Every structure is written in C-alpha cells, then in structure tokens.
C-alpha cells in the first residue's frame, strides 16, 4: 500500500507537459447536441433499465423498521 500511495502523491505533484496543456480539451467546446443525437437510444435504454431495476428492488424490499 505504501508504494501505491507514494506513486499517487508523486503523480499529483508532477507538472503536466506543455503539449498536454496545449492540446487538452478544456480549450474546446463539446457538442452536447451532437452527442445526444448520436447516443440517445443507448442512453434511453440504460435509463429505463435502471428505472425498472430501482422500482423492482425498492418496492419489493422489506422495510427495515418494525411497525411500517
């Protein structure tokens, strides 16, 4: 565990290379409309799956406190 923590702190203190700073995505605009246009079927499917899962799990979970 100590070597992993040492590498983490070493990496956090390291300065980013100039090429990364220049080419990073914080200087560009992300086309969210295009992203939604392309991936809406998958996002809708995943959202509905999670909704159904939550509904099944939380409705059918017995209450933890007596007297409900």
């Amino acid at each position: 565990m100590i070597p992993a923590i040492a590498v983490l702190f070493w990496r956090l203190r390291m300065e980013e290379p100039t090429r990364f700073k220049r080419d990073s995505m914080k200087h560009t605009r992300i086309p969210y409309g295009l992203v939604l246009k392309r991936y809406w079927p998958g996002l809708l499917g995943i959202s509905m799956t999670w909704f159904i899962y939550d509904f099944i799990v939380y409705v059918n979970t017995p209450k933890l406190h007596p007297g409900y």
Side-chain angles (χ1 to χ4, degrees):
M1 193 163 109
I2 293 172
I5 292 173
V7 169
L8 174 68
F9 284 124
W10 174 66
R11 177 61 185 101
L12 288 175
R13 291 186 337 181
M14 218 165 109
E15 187 176 330
E16 298 292 346
T18 55
R19 170 114 187 189
F20 178 78
K21 287 180 186 177
R22 187 183 69 218
D23 296 338
S24 68
M25 287 196 56
K26 67 180 173 185
H27 300 295
T28 61
R29 291 177 34 109
I30 299 173
Y32 290 110
L34 186 61
V35 170
L36 286 176
K37 185 178 178 182
R38 175 153 169 81
Y39 295 108
W40 74 266
L43 291 171
L44 181 66
I46 290 171
S47 299
M48 291 303 297
T49 302
W50 274 106
F51 176 76
I52 293 168
Y53 171 77
D54 286 342
F55 183 77
I56 291 170
V57 168
Y58 293 122
V59 169
N60 294 323
T61 301
K63 303 297 183 201
L64 297 177
H65 301 288
Y68 278 179

